[in-house]
Amino acid sequence: LVSLFMSDLMVGLVVMPPAMLNQLYGRWMLRGDFCSLWASFDVMCCSASILNLCVISLDRYLLITSPLRYKLRMTSCRALALILATWTLAALASFLPI
């Protein structure tokens, strides 16, 4: 849940202010090279948010289907690995095309 919070917070603090300026003025007001960086952060944060929701759904599914084996299956190291995989996949999907 903290990872989902961080991705949504980054959308609100990093992605939305330039998008608001873009909507208000009808054109890109900031430096031109910042546009590519902003677009990458936009894709990364939104992808991380969606992937975090998928990981939370998978976690809840495992908890419901096998509650007795859940503690053995979902260790803190595995949870951390899932969070790192989520952010890595989101970063690769957004920054590699640039």
Side-chain angles (χ1 to χ4, degrees):
L1 289 176
V2 173
S3 180
L4 177 63
F5 166 74
M6 288 305 296
S7 63
D8 290 342
L9 183 67
M10 285 180 63
V11 167
L13 294 178
V14 176
V15 175
M16 286 299 163
M20 181 184 63
L21 287 174
N22 194 22
Q23 285 293 328
L24 286 175
Y25 292 106
R27 62 185 177 89
W28 187 253
M29 295 295 296
L30 304 173
R31 288 182 28 201
D33 55 345
F34 183 66
C35 182
S36 298
L37 183 66
W38 171 78
S40 294
F41 269 101
D42 184 16
V43 172
M44 182 186 75
C45 294
C46 293
S47 298
S49 181
I50 293 167
L51 289 172
N52 277 312
L53 289 173
C54 292
V55 168
I56 290 170
S57 298
L58 175 68
D59 179 63
R60 295 298 134 196
Y61 173 77
L62 292 174
L63 180 64
I64 290 170
T65 57
S66 58
L68 299 177
R69 288 185 288 171
Y70 177 77
K71 281 285 190 186
L72 297 173
R73 206 182 270 172
M74 188 58 68
T75 62
S76 59
C77 289
R78 283 189 184 165
L80 183 61
L82 284 171
I83 292 170
L84 288 175
T86 297
W87 282 96
T88 303
L89 186 61
L92 288 175
S94 62
F95 284 99
L96 269 184
I98 288 182

